[in-house]
Amino acid sequence: MHLKNSLKPVSCLLILSLLLLPLFPVRILAGGNGSHINVDRTDESNVLIIGDSRVVGMDTNVGQVSYVATVGGHHLKLDTWLTGKWRHKPLVIAASQYKDANYYRQMVSIVQNSLKTWKSCIIVIEATPNDIGFVNWVEKSKTRMTWLGKKLGALSVKINGKKYKPVVYYLALVPERGNYKTSYLGYNVMQFNRALQKAVGGSRYIGIGSILNWANLYNSDGTHFTREGDQYYFSLVTSKIRRSGAIIGKDIVK
Protein backbone atom coordinates (compact mmCIF):
# COMPACT_ATOMS: atom_id res chain seq x y z
CA MET A 1 0.00 0.00 0.00
CA HIS A 2 1.25 3.51 -0.69
CA LEU A 3 -0.13 7.03 -0.84
CA LYS A 4 -0.55 8.73 -4.20
CA ASN A 5 1.30 11.78 -2.90
CA SER A 6 3.88 9.84 -0.97
CA LEU A 7 5.17 11.04 2.38
CA LYS A 8 8.71 10.11 3.35
CA PRO A 9 8.75 7.59 6.19
CA VAL A 10 10.26 9.92 8.77
CA SER A 11 9.36 8.81 12.27
CA CYS A 12 8.82 12.30 13.64
CA LEU A 13 6.00 12.79 11.13
CA LEU A 14 4.14 9.61 12.05
CA ILE A 15 1.35 11.32 13.99
CA LEU A 16 0.90 13.97 11.29
CA SER A 17 0.81 11.23 8.62
CA LEU A 18 -1.93 9.38 10.46
CA LEU A 19 -3.97 12.56 10.73
CA LEU A 20 -3.57 13.21 7.02
CA LEU A 21 -4.43 9.69 5.85
CA PRO A 22 -8.11 10.44 5.15
CA LEU A 23 -7.05 13.24 2.77
CA PHE A 24 -5.16 10.97 0.37
CA PRO A 25 -6.36 8.12 -1.86
CA VAL A 26 -4.90 4.80 -0.72
CA ARG A 27 -4.10 1.83 -2.97
CA ILE A 28 -4.10 -1.69 -1.54
CA LEU A 29 -2.57 -4.30 -3.81
CA ALA A 30 -3.95 -7.83 -3.71
CA GLY A 31 -1.78 -10.54 -2.20
CA GLY A 32 0.10 -8.38 0.28
CA ASN A 33 2.97 -6.01 -0.48
CA GLY A 34 6.25 -7.83 -0.68
CA SER A 35 4.89 -11.16 -1.92
CA HIS A 36 7.46 -12.22 -4.48
CA ILE A 37 7.79 -14.78 -7.24
CA ASN A 38 10.91 -16.11 -8.95
CA VAL A 39 9.81 -18.56 -11.64
CA ASP A 40 12.47 -20.06 -13.92
CA ARG A 41 10.91 -21.70 -16.99
CA THR A 42 14.01 -21.52 -19.17
CA ASP A 43 13.60 -25.17 -20.08
CA GLU A 44 10.41 -24.11 -21.91
CA SER A 45 10.93 -20.50 -22.96
CA ASN A 46 13.57 -17.84 -23.51
CA VAL A 47 11.32 -15.01 -22.23
CA LEU A 48 11.66 -13.33 -18.81
CA ILE A 49 9.03 -10.82 -17.65
CA ILE A 50 9.93 -8.53 -14.73
CA GLY A 51 7.39 -6.47 -12.81
CA ASP A 52 4.83 -6.14 -10.04
CA SER A 53 1.57 -7.76 -8.87
CA ARG A 54 0.17 -7.65 -12.39
CA VAL A 55 3.04 -9.85 -13.50
CA VAL A 56 2.33 -12.14 -10.55
CA GLY A 57 -1.21 -12.41 -11.96
CA MET A 58 0.20 -13.12 -15.40
CA ASP A 59 2.19 -16.01 -14.00
CA THR A 60 -0.90 -17.38 -12.25
CA ASN A 61 -3.26 -17.08 -15.21
CA VAL A 62 -0.91 -17.59 -18.14
CA GLY A 63 2.42 -19.06 -17.03
CA GLN A 64 4.50 -20.25 -20.03
CA VAL A 65 7.54 -17.99 -19.51
CA SER A 66 9.86 -17.00 -16.65
CA TYR A 67 8.92 -14.28 -14.15
CA VAL A 68 10.55 -12.20 -11.41
CA ALA A 69 7.89 -10.02 -9.79
CA THR A 70 6.98 -8.43 -6.48
CA VAL A 71 3.54 -7.37 -5.28
CA GLY A 72 3.77 -3.63 -4.71
CA GLY A 73 7.20 -3.69 -6.36
CA HIS A 74 8.43 -0.27 -7.38
CA HIS A 75 11.02 0.81 -9.84
CA LEU A 76 11.33 3.70 -7.40
CA LYS A 77 10.91 2.55 -3.82
CA LEU A 78 8.84 0.68 -1.30
CA ASP A 79 10.29 -0.06 2.12
CA THR A 80 7.50 -1.82 4.00
CA TRP A 81 8.71 -5.41 3.76
CA LEU A 82 12.50 -5.18 4.00
CA THR A 83 14.05 -6.34 7.26
CA GLY A 84 17.31 -5.98 9.12
CA LYS A 85 19.64 -3.20 8.06
CA TRP A 86 17.58 -2.58 4.90
CA ARG A 87 14.26 -1.99 6.65
CA HIS A 88 14.44 1.81 6.23
CA LYS A 89 16.04 1.76 2.77
CA PRO A 90 14.15 2.23 -0.50
CA LEU A 91 13.78 -0.95 -2.55
CA VAL A 92 14.56 -0.53 -6.21
CA ILE A 93 13.24 -3.56 -8.05
CA ALA A 94 16.54 -4.19 -9.80
CA ALA A 95 19.05 -2.88 -7.33
CA SER A 96 22.00 -5.21 -6.89
CA GLN A 97 23.08 -3.22 -3.83
CA TYR A 98 20.02 -4.46 -1.94
CA LYS A 99 21.51 -7.90 -1.59
CA ASP A 100 19.12 -8.98 1.14
CA ALA A 101 16.28 -8.71 -1.37
CA ASN A 102 18.20 -10.87 -3.86
CA TYR A 103 15.90 -9.90 -6.74
CA TYR A 104 18.58 -8.78 -9.16
CA ARG A 105 20.56 -11.98 -8.71
CA GLN A 106 17.40 -13.93 -9.55
CA MET A 107 17.05 -11.99 -12.79
CA VAL A 108 20.67 -12.59 -13.71
CA SER A 109 20.33 -16.31 -13.06
CA ILE A 110 17.31 -16.64 -15.36
CA VAL A 111 18.95 -14.58 -18.11
CA GLN A 112 22.08 -16.72 -17.99
CA ASN A 113 20.06 -19.95 -17.94
CA SER A 114 18.09 -18.78 -20.96
CA LEU A 115 21.21 -17.84 -22.90
CA LYS A 116 22.77 -21.21 -22.15
CA THR A 117 19.61 -23.10 -23.13
CA TRP A 118 18.40 -21.11 -26.15
CA LYS A 119 21.40 -18.96 -27.08
CA SER A 120 18.96 -16.09 -26.62
CA CYS A 121 16.96 -14.35 -23.92
CA ILE A 122 14.11 -11.89 -24.33
CA ILE A 123 13.64 -9.65 -21.29
CA VAL A 124 10.45 -7.64 -20.78
CA ILE A 125 10.44 -4.94 -18.09
CA GLU A 126 6.95 -3.86 -17.08
CA ALA A 127 6.02 -0.31 -16.15
CA THR A 128 4.29 -0.30 -12.76
CA PRO A 129 1.43 1.89 -11.50
CA ASN A 130 3.07 1.74 -8.07
CA ASP A 131 5.42 4.52 -9.18
CA ILE A 132 2.57 6.93 -9.87
CA GLY A 133 2.36 9.84 -7.45
CA PHE A 134 6.02 10.21 -6.52
CA VAL A 135 7.58 13.58 -7.32
CA ASN A 136 8.86 13.53 -10.92
CA TRP A 137 7.57 9.97 -11.23
CA VAL A 138 7.59 9.90 -15.04
CA GLU A 139 11.28 10.64 -15.34
CA LYS A 140 12.28 8.52 -12.36
CA SER A 141 10.32 5.44 -13.39
CA LYS A 142 11.48 5.68 -17.00
CA THR A 143 15.08 6.06 -15.85
CA ARG A 144 14.84 3.07 -13.48
CA MET A 145 13.36 0.88 -16.19
CA THR A 146 16.00 1.76 -18.76
CA TRP A 147 18.77 1.47 -16.13
CA LEU A 148 17.66 -2.06 -15.37
CA GLY A 149 17.39 -2.85 -19.08
CA LYS A 150 20.92 -1.68 -19.78
CA LYS A 151 22.26 -3.59 -16.80
CA LEU A 152 20.60 -6.87 -17.76
CA GLY A 153 21.15 -6.28 -21.47
CA ALA A 154 24.91 -6.14 -20.89
CA LEU A 155 24.99 -9.73 -19.60
CA SER A 156 26.39 -12.38 -21.91
CA VAL A 157 27.23 -16.06 -22.15
CA LYS A 158 29.95 -17.49 -24.38
CA ILE A 159 29.22 -20.79 -26.12
CA ASN A 160 31.82 -22.38 -28.40
CA GLY A 161 33.66 -19.10 -28.61
CA LYS A 162 30.57 -17.06 -29.60
CA LYS A 163 29.01 -14.51 -27.25
CA TYR A 164 25.24 -14.37 -26.81
CA LYS A 165 23.39 -11.45 -25.22
CA PRO A 166 19.75 -10.79 -24.28
CA VAL A 167 17.34 -8.41 -25.99
CA VAL A 168 15.33 -6.06 -23.76
CA TYR A 169 11.78 -4.81 -24.30
CA TYR A 170 9.81 -2.32 -22.21
CA LEU A 171 6.10 -2.85 -21.50
CA ALA A 172 4.05 0.35 -21.31
CA LEU A 173 1.97 1.31 -18.31
CA VAL A 174 -1.65 0.19 -18.21
CA PRO A 175 -3.60 2.74 -16.14
CA GLU A 176 -5.94 1.88 -13.34
CA ARG A 177 -9.51 1.79 -14.60
CA GLY A 178 -10.57 5.19 -15.95
CA ASN A 179 -7.27 6.87 -15.12
CA TYR A 180 -5.52 7.06 -18.50
CA LYS A 181 -5.55 10.87 -18.57
CA THR A 182 -5.85 11.55 -14.83
CA SER A 183 -3.13 13.95 -13.69
CA TYR A 184 -0.78 12.85 -10.91
CA LEU A 185 1.59 15.66 -9.92
CA GLY A 186 1.33 17.13 -13.40
CA TYR A 187 1.68 13.92 -15.43
CA ASN A 188 -0.64 11.20 -16.64
CA VAL A 189 -0.22 7.62 -17.86
CA MET A 190 -0.54 8.63 -21.51
CA GLN A 191 2.37 11.07 -21.10
CA PHE A 192 4.45 8.45 -19.32
CA ASN A 193 3.99 5.94 -22.12
CA ARG A 194 5.00 8.52 -24.71
CA ALA A 195 8.10 9.37 -22.70
CA LEU A 196 9.02 5.69 -22.32
CA GLN A 197 8.56 5.02 -26.03
CA LYS A 198 10.75 8.00 -26.90
CA ALA A 199 13.44 6.83 -24.48
CA VAL A 200 13.65 3.20 -25.64
CA GLY A 201 12.59 3.48 -29.29
CA GLY A 202 9.65 1.94 -31.06
CA SER A 203 11.36 -1.38 -31.74
CA ARG A 204 11.78 -2.11 -28.03
CA TYR A 205 8.56 -0.52 -26.77
CA ILE A 206 5.45 -2.66 -26.17
CA GLY A 207 2.32 -0.53 -26.22
CA ILE A 208 -0.96 -1.29 -24.45
CA GLY A 209 -3.18 -0.99 -27.53
CA SER A 210 -6.40 0.98 -27.45
CA ILE A 211 -7.46 1.93 -23.94
CA LEU A 212 -11.00 0.95 -24.95
CA ASN A 213 -9.89 -2.69 -25.21
CA TRP A 214 -9.26 -2.75 -21.45
CA ALA A 215 -12.76 -1.71 -20.38
CA ASN A 216 -13.93 -5.17 -19.30
CA LEU A 217 -10.54 -6.65 -18.39
CA TYR A 218 -10.12 -5.18 -14.89
CA ASN A 219 -11.17 -7.08 -11.83
CA SER A 220 -13.17 -5.45 -9.03
CA ASP A 221 -10.27 -3.39 -7.62
CA GLY A 222 -9.78 -1.51 -10.89
CA THR A 223 -6.02 -2.13 -10.79
CA HIS A 224 -5.49 -5.81 -11.51
CA PHE A 225 -6.91 -7.89 -14.32
CA THR A 226 -9.27 -10.79 -14.83
CA ARG A 227 -7.93 -14.04 -16.29
CA GLU A 228 -8.88 -12.74 -19.73
CA GLY A 229 -7.12 -9.46 -18.91
CA ASP A 230 -3.90 -11.24 -17.97
CA GLN A 231 -4.10 -13.26 -21.18
CA TYR A 232 -4.58 -10.08 -23.23
CA TYR A 233 -1.67 -8.43 -21.37
CA PHE A 234 0.51 -11.42 -22.20
CA SER A 235 -0.59 -11.41 -25.85
CA LEU A 236 0.63 -7.82 -26.24
CA VAL A 237 4.09 -8.99 -25.19
CA THR A 238 4.28 -12.04 -27.44
CA SER A 239 2.76 -10.25 -30.44
CA LYS A 240 5.36 -7.51 -30.29
CA ILE A 241 8.20 -9.99 -29.91
CA ARG A 242 7.01 -12.03 -32.88
CA ARG A 243 6.56 -8.92 -35.06
CA SER A 244 10.16 -7.97 -34.36
CA GLY A 245 11.29 -11.30 -35.74
CA ALA A 246 12.63 -12.61 -32.43
CA ILE A 247 12.46 -16.32 -31.67
CA ILE A 248 10.35 -17.38 -28.69
CA GLY A 249 10.83 -20.63 -26.80
CA LYS A 250 8.88 -23.79 -27.65
CA ASP A 251 6.22 -23.33 -24.97
CA ILE A 252 4.54 -20.40 -26.74
CA VAL A 253 5.34 -21.18 -30.34
CA LYS A 254 2.65 -23.38 -31.88
Side-chain angles (χ1 to χ4, degrees), residues 177 210-220 223-233:
R177 180 165 34 216
S210 170
I211 193 62
L212 299 177
N213 293 342
W214 292 91
N216 297 315
L217 297 179
Y218 293 92
N219 67 21
S220 59
T223 296
H224 301 92
F225 310 127
T226 62
R227 179 180 295 274
E228 292 74 18
D230 284 325
Q231 291 168 345
Y232 179 66
Y233 202 28

